[in-house]
Amino acid sequence: MRTTRCQFIATLVSVFIVSSSQEKDPSGFRDFFRTNLEEFDNKPLTFSHPVPSWLKGKLIRNGGARYEVGARSFTHAFDALAKLHSFTFHGNGTVSMSARFLRTTYFNESIAANTIAPYAQFGPLNPRFDMIEKMEAIANQIDNLNVNIYRVRNAKGGNFEYMTVNDVWEVYQVSDCSLKTLKLISPPTSLKTHLYLPILSSAHPVQEFGRQTYLTFLMSVPELPFLKSFVTLYRMSSIGDREQIVTWYLEAPTYMHSFSVTKNYAVFIGQPVSINLWKMFSKGNIVEAMEYRYNDPTYIYVVHLRSKKITTLKYDKFVSYFHHINAYEHRKHKIVVDICTQNSSNMHTMEMPYIRSPTLRNKVPLYYGIKRFAIDLKTPYVDARSFKPSKIVPYSNNLDMPAINENYRHVKYCFAYGLVVKADHVNYDKWALVKKDVCEHGGDLSWIIDNHYPSEPWFVPTLNGKKEDDGILMTHVFDGIRKESYLVLINAVTMKTISKANLPTNVPFSTHGRFFPDE
Protein backbone atom coordinates (compact mmCIF):
# COMPACT_ATOMS: atom_id res chain seq x y z
CA MET A 1 0.00 0.00 0.00
CA ARG A 2 2.77 2.42 0.94
CA THR A 3 4.79 1.52 -2.15
CA THR A 4 1.75 2.32 -4.28
CA ARG A 5 1.36 5.64 -2.48
CA CYS A 6 5.02 6.53 -3.11
CA GLN A 7 4.61 5.66 -6.80
CA PHE A 8 1.49 7.81 -6.91
CA ILE A 9 3.36 10.72 -5.37
CA ALA A 10 6.21 10.28 -7.86
CA THR A 11 3.67 10.36 -10.71
CA LEU A 12 2.14 13.53 -9.33
CA VAL A 13 5.57 15.16 -9.28
CA SER A 14 6.19 14.32 -12.93
CA VAL A 15 2.76 15.64 -13.91
CA PHE A 16 2.97 18.87 -11.93
CA ILE A 17 6.67 19.70 -12.22
CA VAL A 18 6.10 21.94 -15.22
CA SER A 19 2.68 23.34 -14.36
CA SER A 20 3.51 24.00 -10.69
CA SER A 21 5.74 26.95 -11.51
CA GLN A 22 2.84 28.53 -13.44
CA GLU A 23 0.12 27.77 -10.88
CA LYS A 24 -1.02 30.82 -8.93
CA ASP A 25 -0.23 30.89 -5.21
CA PRO A 26 -2.21 33.69 -3.52
CA SER A 27 -0.86 32.64 -0.13
CA GLY A 28 2.66 33.76 -1.07
CA PHE A 29 4.01 30.54 0.44
CA ARG A 30 6.37 29.74 -2.42
CA ASP A 31 8.11 33.11 -1.93
CA PHE A 32 9.31 31.88 1.47
CA PHE A 33 11.68 29.67 -0.55
CA ARG A 34 13.30 32.25 -2.85
CA THR A 35 16.99 32.99 -3.33
CA ASN A 36 18.28 36.03 -1.46
CA LEU A 37 21.87 37.04 -2.22
CA GLU A 38 22.06 40.09 0.08
CA GLU A 39 24.83 40.21 2.67
CA PHE A 40 25.39 42.98 5.20
CA ASP A 41 26.57 43.79 8.72
CA ASN A 42 24.79 45.24 11.74
CA LYS A 43 21.76 46.96 10.27
CA PRO A 44 19.58 48.39 13.08
CA LEU A 45 16.03 47.07 13.54
CA THR A 46 13.02 49.07 14.65
CA PHE A 47 10.51 47.22 16.82
CA SER A 48 6.82 47.94 17.22
CA HIS A 49 7.11 47.86 21.03
CA PRO A 50 10.08 48.12 23.42
CA VAL A 51 12.42 45.14 23.57
CA PRO A 52 13.13 43.95 27.14
CA SER A 53 16.47 45.43 28.23
CA TRP A 54 17.50 42.20 29.98
CA LEU A 55 17.55 40.45 26.59
CA LYS A 56 21.25 40.42 25.71
CA GLY A 57 22.86 38.01 23.29
CA LYS A 58 22.62 36.82 19.73
CA LEU A 59 20.10 34.72 17.79
CA ILE A 60 21.82 33.04 14.84
CA ARG A 61 19.78 31.14 12.25
CA ASN A 62 21.22 28.69 9.72
CA GLY A 63 19.43 27.64 6.54
CA GLY A 64 19.42 27.64 2.76
CA ALA A 65 19.13 30.93 0.88
CA ARG A 66 20.33 30.17 -2.65
CA TYR A 67 18.28 27.68 -4.65
CA GLU A 68 20.17 27.78 -7.94
CA VAL A 69 23.63 28.44 -9.36
CA GLY A 70 23.90 29.12 -13.07
CA ALA A 71 21.65 26.81 -15.08
CA ARG A 72 21.34 24.22 -12.28
CA SER A 73 18.86 24.34 -9.41
CA PHE A 74 18.04 22.35 -6.31
CA THR A 75 14.83 20.31 -6.25
CA HIS A 76 14.79 19.97 -2.46
CA ALA A 77 14.69 22.88 -0.01
CA PHE A 78 17.14 21.12 2.32
CA ASP A 79 19.88 21.57 -0.30
CA ALA A 80 19.85 25.37 -0.72
CA LEU A 81 23.25 26.94 -0.04
CA ALA A 82 23.83 27.80 3.61
CA LYS A 83 23.39 31.35 4.84
CA LEU A 84 23.65 32.69 8.38
CA HIS A 85 21.39 35.44 9.75
CA SER A 86 22.15 36.94 13.14
CA PHE A 87 20.10 39.20 15.40
CA THR A 88 22.15 40.89 18.12
CA PHE A 89 20.29 42.07 21.22
CA HIS A 90 22.57 44.67 22.77
CA GLY A 91 21.00 44.70 26.24
CA ASN A 92 19.66 48.25 26.00
CA GLY A 93 16.57 47.56 23.93
CA THR A 94 18.35 47.91 20.57
CA VAL A 95 18.79 45.10 18.04
CA SER A 96 20.85 44.79 14.86
CA MET A 97 20.92 42.24 12.04
CA SER A 98 23.66 40.72 9.88
CA ALA A 99 23.55 38.25 6.98
CA ARG A 100 26.30 36.24 5.28
CA PHE A 101 26.65 33.08 3.21
CA LEU A 102 28.72 30.21 4.56
CA ARG A 103 31.86 30.07 2.38
CA THR A 104 32.38 26.33 2.26
CA THR A 105 34.60 24.63 -0.29
CA TYR A 106 31.39 23.50 -1.99
CA PHE A 107 30.04 27.07 -2.09
CA ASN A 108 33.28 28.52 -3.46
CA GLU A 109 33.62 25.85 -6.16
CA SER A 110 29.99 26.29 -7.21
CA ILE A 111 30.25 30.08 -7.51
CA ALA A 112 33.57 29.88 -9.36
CA ALA A 113 32.17 27.39 -11.90
CA ASN A 114 28.73 29.08 -12.07
CA THR A 115 27.03 25.74 -11.50
CA ILE A 116 26.33 23.43 -8.58
CA ALA A 117 29.57 21.61 -7.86
CA PRO A 118 29.55 17.79 -7.54
CA TYR A 119 28.95 17.20 -3.83
CA ALA A 120 26.43 14.92 -2.16
CA GLN A 121 22.90 16.35 -2.01
CA PHE A 122 19.74 15.62 -0.08
CA GLY A 123 17.67 15.55 -3.27
CA PRO A 124 18.38 15.35 -7.02
CA LEU A 125 19.36 18.41 -9.04
CA ASN A 126 17.75 19.92 -12.12
CA PRO A 127 19.38 19.00 -14.45
CA ARG A 128 20.74 15.94 -12.71
CA PHE A 129 24.39 15.04 -12.30
CA ASP A 130 25.78 12.71 -14.94
CA MET A 131 27.44 9.46 -13.86
CA ILE A 132 30.90 10.99 -13.46
CA GLU A 133 29.51 13.89 -11.43
CA LYS A 134 27.60 11.42 -9.23
CA MET A 135 30.84 9.57 -8.49
CA GLU A 136 32.56 12.87 -7.68
CA ALA A 137 29.62 13.88 -5.46
CA ILE A 138 29.80 10.66 -3.45
CA ALA A 139 33.56 11.05 -3.05
CA ASN A 140 33.23 14.69 -1.95
CA GLN A 141 30.32 13.87 0.41
CA ILE A 142 28.24 16.66 1.99
CA ASP A 143 29.93 20.01 2.49
CA ASN A 144 26.85 22.28 2.67
CA LEU A 145 26.49 22.66 6.43
CA ASN A 146 23.15 24.47 6.34
CA VAL A 147 21.27 22.75 9.17
CA ASN A 148 22.29 24.13 12.56
CA ILE A 149 24.76 26.24 14.52
CA TYR A 150 26.33 25.63 17.94
CA ARG A 151 28.87 27.12 20.25
CA VAL A 152 31.16 25.06 22.46
CA ARG A 153 33.42 26.42 25.18
CA ASN A 154 37.02 25.42 24.52
CA ALA A 155 38.09 23.51 27.63
CA LYS A 156 41.71 24.61 27.25
CA GLY A 157 41.32 28.27 26.29
CA GLY A 158 37.99 28.99 27.96
CA ASN A 159 36.71 30.84 24.88
CA PHE A 160 33.55 30.06 22.94
CA GLU A 161 33.90 28.54 19.46
CA TYR A 162 31.05 28.59 16.93
CA MET A 163 30.38 25.90 14.34
CA THR A 164 27.87 25.12 11.62
CA VAL A 165 26.76 21.50 11.37
CA ASN A 166 24.88 18.96 9.27
CA ASP A 167 24.47 15.20 9.69
CA VAL A 168 28.17 14.72 8.91
CA TRP A 169 31.34 14.57 10.97
CA GLU A 170 33.10 17.69 9.71
CA VAL A 171 32.09 21.19 10.81
CA TYR A 172 32.89 24.73 9.74
CA GLN A 173 34.09 27.23 12.32
CA VAL A 174 32.51 30.66 11.96
CA SER A 175 32.79 34.04 13.64
CA ASP A 176 29.78 34.98 15.73
CA CYS A 177 30.57 38.68 15.22
CA SER A 178 31.12 38.90 11.46
CA LEU A 179 29.50 35.55 10.49
CA LYS A 180 32.57 34.95 8.32
CA THR A 181 33.61 31.38 7.62
CA LEU A 182 36.92 30.74 9.38
CA LYS A 183 37.94 27.17 8.56
CA LEU A 184 36.88 23.57 8.02
CA ILE A 185 37.33 21.36 11.09
CA SER A 186 37.88 17.62 10.56
CA PRO A 187 38.03 16.11 14.06
CA PRO A 188 40.40 13.12 14.21
CA THR A 189 39.11 9.64 15.03
CA SER A 190 40.92 6.49 16.15
CA LEU A 191 38.39 4.14 14.60
CA LYS A 192 39.40 1.14 12.52
CA THR A 193 37.25 1.67 9.46
CA HIS A 194 38.31 -1.07 7.04
CA LEU A 195 35.21 -1.85 4.94
CA TYR A 196 33.35 1.00 6.64
CA LEU A 197 32.56 4.62 5.78
CA PRO A 198 32.58 6.80 8.93
CA ILE A 199 30.36 9.55 7.55
CA LEU A 200 27.10 10.11 9.45
CA SER A 201 26.76 12.25 12.55
CA SER A 202 24.18 14.51 14.20
CA ALA A 203 23.12 18.08 13.47
CA HIS A 204 21.95 18.22 17.12
CA PRO A 205 24.79 17.70 19.60
CA VAL A 206 23.48 17.75 23.19
CA GLN A 207 25.12 19.43 26.16
CA GLU A 208 25.92 17.15 29.09
CA PHE A 209 24.10 17.73 32.34
CA GLY A 210 26.02 20.09 34.63
CA ARG A 211 28.97 20.38 32.22
CA GLN A 212 30.19 22.63 29.42
CA THR A 213 30.89 19.66 27.15
CA TYR A 214 28.62 18.38 24.38
CA LEU A 215 27.93 14.85 23.17
CA THR A 216 27.74 13.78 19.55
CA PHE A 217 28.19 10.56 17.60
CA LEU A 218 29.78 9.13 14.47
CA MET A 219 28.04 6.34 12.56
CA SER A 220 30.20 4.06 10.41
CA VAL A 221 28.26 2.49 7.54
CA PRO A 222 29.47 -0.81 6.01
CA GLU A 223 30.45 -1.08 2.38
CA LEU A 224 29.19 -4.69 2.33
CA PRO A 225 25.49 -5.40 2.99
CA PHE A 226 26.01 -8.31 5.40
CA LEU A 227 28.02 -6.19 7.88
CA LYS A 228 26.44 -4.16 10.68
CA SER A 229 26.80 -0.41 11.10
CA PHE A 230 28.37 0.78 14.33
CA VAL A 231 28.10 4.01 16.32
CA THR A 232 30.71 5.75 18.44
CA LEU A 233 29.68 8.25 21.12
CA TYR A 234 32.00 11.25 21.57
CA ARG A 235 32.45 14.02 24.12
CA MET A 236 33.27 17.45 22.66
CA SER A 237 35.56 19.71 24.70
CA SER A 238 35.95 22.10 21.75
CA ILE A 239 34.60 22.04 18.23
CA GLY A 240 37.65 20.05 17.12
CA ASP A 241 38.54 17.98 20.20
CA ARG A 242 36.42 14.85 20.65
CA GLU A 243 36.96 12.13 23.21
CA GLN A 244 35.77 8.65 22.31
CA ILE A 245 33.42 7.27 24.98
CA VAL A 246 32.04 3.96 23.69
CA THR A 247 31.34 2.09 20.44
CA TRP A 248 28.58 -0.43 19.70
CA TYR A 249 27.06 -2.27 16.74
CA LEU A 250 23.52 -1.52 15.61
CA GLU A 251 20.87 -4.23 15.39
CA ALA A 252 19.64 -2.83 12.06
CA PRO A 253 20.52 -0.01 9.64
CA THR A 254 19.17 3.36 10.69
CA TYR A 255 19.37 7.11 10.15
CA MET A 256 19.52 9.28 13.27
CA HIS A 257 19.33 13.05 12.95
CA SER A 258 19.15 13.65 16.71
CA PHE A 259 19.27 11.94 20.11
CA SER A 260 18.57 12.71 23.79
CA VAL A 261 20.63 13.03 26.94
CA THR A 262 19.45 12.74 30.56
CA LYS A 263 21.51 13.30 33.71
CA ASN A 264 23.19 9.91 33.36
CA TYR A 265 22.27 8.47 29.95
CA ALA A 266 22.38 9.09 26.22
CA VAL A 267 19.38 7.67 24.34
CA PHE A 268 19.37 6.76 20.64
CA ILE A 269 16.26 5.67 18.75
CA GLY A 270 17.18 3.57 15.73
CA GLN A 271 14.22 4.04 13.42
CA PRO A 272 13.76 1.42 10.64
CA VAL A 273 14.61 4.14 8.13
CA SER A 274 18.04 4.22 6.56
CA ILE A 275 20.12 5.32 3.60
CA ASN A 276 20.87 2.51 1.16
CA LEU A 277 24.53 3.03 0.28
CA TRP A 278 24.25 1.31 -3.10
CA LYS A 279 21.25 3.43 -4.07
CA MET A 280 23.21 6.46 -2.96
CA PHE A 281 25.99 5.49 -5.35
CA SER A 282 23.57 5.07 -8.26
CA LYS A 283 21.19 7.98 -7.54
CA GLY A 284 23.70 10.45 -6.11
CA ASN A 285 21.30 11.84 -3.48
CA ILE A 286 19.78 10.89 -0.13
CA VAL A 287 16.04 11.17 -0.79
CA GLU A 288 16.05 8.53 -3.53
CA ALA A 289 18.31 6.28 -1.41
CA MET A 290 16.09 6.38 1.70
CA GLU A 291 14.42 3.11 2.64
CA TYR A 292 11.40 2.82 4.95
CA ARG A 293 11.08 -0.68 6.41
CA TYR A 294 7.48 -0.41 7.61
CA ASN A 295 7.30 -3.95 8.94
CA ASP A 296 10.50 -3.77 10.96
CA PRO A 297 10.87 -2.95 14.65
CA THR A 298 12.53 0.12 16.16
CA TYR A 299 15.65 -0.41 18.29
CA ILE A 300 16.56 1.83 21.20
CA TYR A 301 20.09 2.10 22.60
CA VAL A 302 20.63 3.54 26.08
CA VAL A 303 24.22 4.39 27.04
CA HIS A 304 25.20 4.94 30.67
CA LEU A 305 27.66 7.82 30.44
CA ARG A 306 29.83 6.74 33.37
CA SER A 307 29.87 2.93 33.24
CA LYS A 308 29.52 2.94 29.41
CA LYS A 309 27.07 0.07 29.68
CA ILE A 310 24.73 -0.17 26.68
CA THR A 311 21.18 -1.44 26.99
CA THR A 312 19.42 -2.40 23.74
CA LEU A 313 15.63 -2.50 23.66
CA LYS A 314 13.28 -3.59 20.91
CA TYR A 315 10.06 -1.70 20.19
CA ASP A 316 7.95 -3.85 17.87
CA LYS A 317 6.42 -0.99 15.86
CA PHE A 318 7.62 1.19 13.01
CA VAL A 319 8.66 4.72 14.02
CA SER A 320 9.94 7.52 11.80
CA TYR A 321 11.23 10.84 13.11
CA PHE A 322 13.82 13.60 12.81
CA HIS A 323 13.78 15.32 16.20
CA HIS A 324 13.99 14.41 19.84
CA ILE A 325 12.30 16.92 22.16
CA ASN A 326 13.70 16.00 25.57
CA ALA A 327 14.37 13.06 27.90
CA TYR A 328 14.63 12.61 31.65
CA GLU A 329 15.00 9.93 34.29
CA HIS A 330 11.80 8.94 36.04
CA ARG A 331 12.20 7.01 39.27
CA LYS A 332 14.88 4.34 39.45
CA HIS A 333 15.88 2.60 36.21
CA LYS A 334 13.21 4.43 34.15
CA ILE A 335 13.59 6.98 31.37
CA VAL A 336 11.03 9.10 29.52
CA VAL A 337 11.83 10.19 25.94
CA ASP A 338 9.67 12.47 23.78
CA ILE A 339 10.12 12.67 20.00
CA CYS A 340 8.31 14.19 17.00
CA THR A 341 7.20 11.39 14.69
CA GLN A 342 6.19 11.66 11.03
CA ASN A 343 5.60 9.58 7.91
CA SER A 344 7.55 9.20 4.68
CA SER A 345 5.31 11.65 2.79
CA ASN A 346 6.61 14.50 4.95
CA MET A 347 9.92 14.31 3.10
CA HIS A 348 8.26 15.18 -0.22
CA THR A 349 6.66 18.41 0.98
CA MET A 350 10.07 20.09 1.04
CA GLU A 351 10.69 19.28 -2.62
CA MET A 352 10.45 22.38 -4.79
CA PRO A 353 7.62 21.13 -7.07
CA TYR A 354 5.46 20.71 -3.98
CA ILE A 355 6.45 24.06 -2.52
CA ARG A 356 5.55 25.84 -5.76
CA SER A 357 2.20 24.12 -6.25
CA PRO A 358 -0.72 24.63 -3.80
CA THR A 359 -2.54 21.72 -5.46
CA LEU A 360 0.36 19.31 -5.15
CA ARG A 361 1.42 20.18 -1.61
CA ASN A 362 -2.15 20.00 -0.29
CA LYS A 363 -2.58 16.48 -1.68
CA VAL A 364 0.27 15.03 0.37
CA PRO A 365 -1.05 12.85 3.25
CA LEU A 366 0.94 14.17 6.20
CA TYR A 367 1.29 12.63 9.62
CA TYR A 368 2.94 14.25 12.60
CA GLY A 369 2.59 13.30 16.23
CA ILE A 370 4.50 13.55 19.47
CA LYS A 371 5.27 10.13 20.87
CA ARG A 372 6.41 9.42 24.43
CA PHE A 373 8.64 6.40 25.06
CA ALA A 374 8.75 4.90 28.54
CA ILE A 375 11.92 2.85 29.06
CA ASP A 376 12.47 0.46 31.95
CA LEU A 377 16.15 -0.46 32.12
CA LYS A 378 15.71 -3.09 34.81
CA THR A 379 13.22 -5.32 32.95
CA PRO A 380 14.33 -4.20 30.25
CA TYR A 381 11.18 -3.03 28.47
CA VAL A 382 9.99 -0.14 26.33
CA ASP A 383 6.54 1.10 25.44
CA ALA A 384 5.27 4.21 23.68
CA ARG A 385 2.10 6.27 23.57
CA SER A 386 0.70 9.30 21.82
CA PHE A 387 -0.70 12.33 23.61
CA LYS A 388 -4.43 12.92 23.81
CA PRO A 389 -5.70 15.54 21.32
CA SER A 390 -6.01 18.99 22.82
CA LYS A 391 -9.48 20.52 22.97
CA ILE A 392 -7.93 24.01 22.96
CA VAL A 393 -5.43 23.53 20.11
CA PRO A 394 -6.38 20.37 18.18
CA TYR A 395 -3.17 20.44 16.14
CA SER A 396 -0.72 20.93 19.03
CA ASN A 397 0.38 17.27 18.98
CA ASN A 398 1.63 17.77 15.43
CA LEU A 399 4.57 19.99 16.29
CA ASP A 400 8.06 19.50 14.93
CA MET A 401 11.20 21.67 15.03
CA PRO A 402 10.86 21.52 18.85
CA ALA A 403 12.25 23.94 21.42
CA ILE A 404 12.15 23.87 25.22
CA ASN A 405 13.44 25.96 28.09
CA GLU A 406 17.05 24.71 28.02
CA ASN A 407 17.20 25.00 31.81
CA TYR A 408 14.88 21.97 31.76
CA ARG A 409 17.03 19.90 29.40
CA HIS A 410 17.77 16.43 30.94
CA VAL A 411 15.04 16.79 33.60
CA LYS A 412 11.26 16.53 33.92
CA TYR A 413 9.59 19.32 31.98
CA CYS A 414 6.08 20.35 30.97
CA PHE A 415 6.30 22.58 27.90
CA ALA A 416 7.48 22.01 24.34
CA TYR A 417 7.23 24.63 21.61
CA GLY A 418 7.39 24.01 17.90
CA LEU A 419 6.21 24.50 14.36
CA VAL A 420 3.05 22.93 12.89
CA VAL A 421 2.38 22.76 9.15
CA LYS A 422 -1.03 22.06 7.64
CA ALA A 423 -2.62 23.06 10.95
CA ASP A 424 -6.14 22.83 9.50
CA HIS A 425 -5.38 19.40 7.94
CA VAL A 426 -6.36 20.85 4.56
CA ASN A 427 -3.93 23.55 3.46
CA TYR A 428 -0.23 22.78 3.72
CA ASP A 429 0.53 26.51 3.94
CA LYS A 430 -1.44 26.86 7.20
CA TRP A 431 1.54 27.19 9.57
CA ALA A 432 1.43 27.79 13.30
CA LEU A 433 3.67 28.00 16.34
CA VAL A 434 2.37 25.97 19.27
CA LYS A 435 2.93 25.49 22.96
CA LYS A 436 2.37 21.88 23.98
CA ASP A 437 1.69 20.97 27.61
CA VAL A 438 3.27 17.51 27.82
CA CYS A 439 2.18 17.24 31.47
CA GLU A 440 -1.37 17.34 30.06
CA HIS A 441 -2.73 20.03 32.34
CA GLY A 442 -4.58 21.80 29.51
CA GLY A 443 -1.92 24.40 28.81
CA ASP A 444 -1.80 24.07 25.00
CA LEU A 445 -1.77 27.39 23.09
CA SER A 446 -0.91 28.59 19.58
CA TRP A 447 0.27 31.58 17.57
CA ILE A 448 -1.14 31.58 14.04
CA ILE A 449 -1.74 34.23 11.35
CA ASP A 450 -3.06 33.38 7.89
CA ASN A 451 -0.38 33.54 5.18
CA HIS A 452 2.39 34.16 7.73
CA TYR A 453 5.13 31.51 7.82
CA PRO A 454 7.37 31.18 10.88
CA SER A 455 10.55 29.15 11.10
CA GLU A 456 11.57 27.10 14.13
CA PRO A 457 11.13 29.05 17.40
CA TRP A 458 13.75 29.40 20.12
CA PHE A 459 12.95 29.82 23.83
CA VAL A 460 14.88 32.41 25.85
CA PRO A 461 14.15 32.17 29.59
CA THR A 462 13.23 35.37 31.40
CA LEU A 463 15.94 36.74 33.66
CA ASN A 464 15.18 35.45 37.16
CA GLY A 465 12.02 33.74 35.87
CA LYS A 466 10.30 31.46 38.37
CA LYS A 467 8.21 29.22 36.10
CA GLU A 468 9.29 26.92 33.28
CA ASP A 469 7.42 28.92 30.64
CA ASP A 470 8.61 32.35 31.82
CA GLY A 471 10.37 33.46 28.68
CA ILE A 472 10.30 34.74 25.13
CA LEU A 473 9.94 32.77 21.90
CA MET A 474 11.76 34.32 18.98
CA THR A 475 11.87 33.51 15.28
CA HIS A 476 11.67 35.10 11.86
CA VAL A 477 8.37 35.06 9.96
CA PHE A 478 7.58 35.59 6.28
CA ASP A 479 4.43 37.58 5.44
CA GLY A 480 3.28 35.92 2.23
CA ILE A 481 0.93 38.74 1.23
CA ARG A 482 3.33 41.64 1.75
CA LYS A 483 6.34 39.53 0.70
CA GLU A 484 8.30 40.74 3.73
CA SER A 485 10.10 39.10 6.64
CA TYR A 486 9.96 40.18 10.25
CA LEU A 487 11.46 39.11 13.55
CA VAL A 488 8.85 38.39 16.22
CA LEU A 489 9.11 38.14 20.00
CA ILE A 490 6.30 36.10 21.59
CA ASN A 491 5.33 35.80 25.25
CA ALA A 492 5.94 32.10 25.93
CA VAL A 493 3.31 32.06 28.70
CA THR A 494 0.42 33.51 26.69
CA MET A 495 1.67 32.96 23.10
CA LYS A 496 0.83 36.60 22.35
CA THR A 497 3.10 38.89 20.34
CA ILE A 498 5.29 41.16 22.47
CA SER A 499 6.94 43.04 19.63
CA LYS A 500 8.10 42.63 16.05
CA ALA A 501 10.48 44.31 13.61
CA ASN A 502 10.35 44.36 9.83
CA LEU A 503 13.66 43.13 8.46
CA PRO A 504 15.84 44.96 5.91
CA THR A 505 15.90 41.82 3.77
CA ASN A 506 13.78 38.70 3.36
CA VAL A 507 14.93 35.62 5.24
CA PRO A 508 14.07 32.33 3.49
CA PHE A 509 12.93 29.30 5.45
CA SER A 510 15.70 28.29 7.85
CA THR A 511 16.08 24.91 9.47
CA HIS A 512 17.58 25.56 12.89
CA GLY A 513 19.23 28.20 15.04
CA ARG A 514 20.02 29.07 18.63
CA PHE A 515 20.14 32.09 20.94
CA PHE A 516 23.54 32.56 22.54
CA PRO A 517 23.32 34.71 25.69
CA ASP A 518 26.17 37.06 26.52
CA GLU A 519 28.35 35.70 29.30
Side-chain angles (χ1 to χ4, degrees), residues 268-507:
F268 299 83
I269 298 180
Q271 60 183 331
V273 178
S274 57
I275 302 170
N276 184 308
L277 202 59
W278 296 104
K279 286 185 180 179
M280 186 76 179
F281 289 151
S282 63
K283 300 294 185 180
N285 66 83
I286 293 173
V287 168
E288 293 177 314
M290 283 286 235
E291 292 186 338
Y292 294 80
R293 305 187 307 278
Y294 295 101
N295 296 318
D296 284 8
T298 299
Y299 289 97
I300 299 174
Y301 309 92
V302 182
V303 181
H304 193 282
L305 296 175
R306 287 194 294 275
S307 69
K308 304 179 184 179
K309 178 184 176 182
I310 298 165
T311 303
T312 301
L313 303 101
K314 181 180 178 182
Y315 178 64
D316 285 325
K317 297 180 182 179
F318 172 86
V319 173
S320 177
Y321 75 99
F322 270 109
H323 299 114
H324 283 239
I325 302 175
N326 195 19
Y328 58 90
E329 294 161 37
H330 176 62
R331 299 173 184 170
K332 197 173 184 180
H333 306 300
K334 294 185 179 181
I335 298 174
V336 172
V337 186
D338 294 336
I339 67 171
C340 303
T341 65
Q342 59 178 3
N343 64 8
S344 59
S345 299
N346 294 31
M347 192 78 70
H348 294 286
T349 59
M350 298 305 286
E351 293 175 2
M352 299 310 292
Y354 288 84
I355 287 171
R356 294 178 182 134
S357 167
T359 302
L360 191 57
R361 66 185 182 237
N362 290 344
K363 286 181 179 292
V364 180
L366 291 184
Y367 170 78
Y368 289 94
I370 302 175
K371 191 174 289 292
R372 168 160 289 186
F373 285 85
I375 299 171
D376 188 328
L377 294 175
K378 189 174 183 179
T379 312
Y381 177 74
V382 59
D383 198 6
R385 70 173 179 89
S386 300
F387 287 85
K388 295 178 181 178
S390 167
K391 294 180 181 180
I392 306 170
V393 186
Y395 47 83
S396 61
N397 288 347
N398 300 341
L399 74 83
D400 207 329
M401 301 294 195
I404 65 170
N405 182 339
E406 288 296 320
N407 293 329
Y408 288 75
R409 178 72 60 192
H410 321 102
V411 299
K412 182 175 173 57
Y413 74 116
C414 280
F415 297 110
Y417 301 85
L419 177 66
V420 173
V421 305
K422 209 172 186 179
D424 61 358
H425 300 290
V426 177
N427 298 289
Y428 179 81
D429 54 36
K430 181 74 76 171
W431 286 27
L433 296 176
V434 298
K435 174 183 184 179
K436 176 63 187 175
D437 181 355
V438 297
C439 291
E440 298 183 293
H441 295 151
D444 293 21
L445 293 171
S446 72
W447 183 95
I448 184 169
I449 302 175
D450 283 349
N451 306 313
H452 286 226
Y453 311 111
S455 282
E456 167 205 63
W458 186 262
F459 182 99
V460 181
T462 302
L463 188 66
N464 300 319
K466 296 181 180 180
K467 298 187 301 181
E468 179 186 341
D469 56 350
D470 281 342
I472 291 176
L473 285 184
M474 54 176 64
T475 191
H476 63 90
V477 182
F478 181 72
D479 182 336
I481 303 303
R482 300 182 63 184
K483 306 292 190 288
E484 294 177 349
S485 293
Y486 60 91
L487 184 68
V488 65
L489 307 181
I490 299 171
N491 185 320
V493 176
T494 64
M495 293 298 286
K496 302 295 184 182
T497 299
I498 297 172
S499 189
K500 68 176 186 176
N502 291 330
L503 301 182
T505 191
N506 284 341
V507 181

Side-chain angles (χ1 to χ4, degrees), residues 40-51:
F40 53 84
D41 297 311
N42 298 315
K43 286 190 176 182
L45 302 182
T46 301
F47 278 80
S48 58
H49 295 85
V51 173

Side-chain angles (χ1 to χ4, degrees), residues 231-282:
V231 171
T232 304
L233 180 63
Y234 285 88
R235 177 175 288 114
M236 303 171 62
S237 55
S238 74
I239 63 175
D241 294 318
R242 305 190 181 185
E243 170 197 353
Q244 183 175 332
I245 299 175
V246 65
T247 297
W248 72 96
Y249 283 93
L250 299 175
E251 294 298 319
T254 189
Y255 164 71
M256 297 186 294
H257 178 69
S258 62
F259 63 104
S260 282
V261 178
T262 69
K263 289 183 178 181
N264 297 291
Y265 299 93
V267 184
F268 299 83
I269 298 180
Q271 60 183 331
V273 178
S274 57
I275 302 170
N276 184 308
L277 202 59
W278 296 104
K279 286 185 180 179
M280 186 76 179
F281 289 151
S282 63

Side-chain angles (χ1 to χ4, degrees), residues 3 17 24 29 50 98 149 171 187 192 205 225 306 322 386 408 454 459 481 491:
T3 303
I17 194 165
K24 291 183 179 180
F29 178 76
S98 299
I149 183 165
V171 303
K192 296 179 180 179
R306 287 194 294 275
F322 270 109
S386 300
Y408 288 75
F459 182 99
I481 303 303
N491 185 320

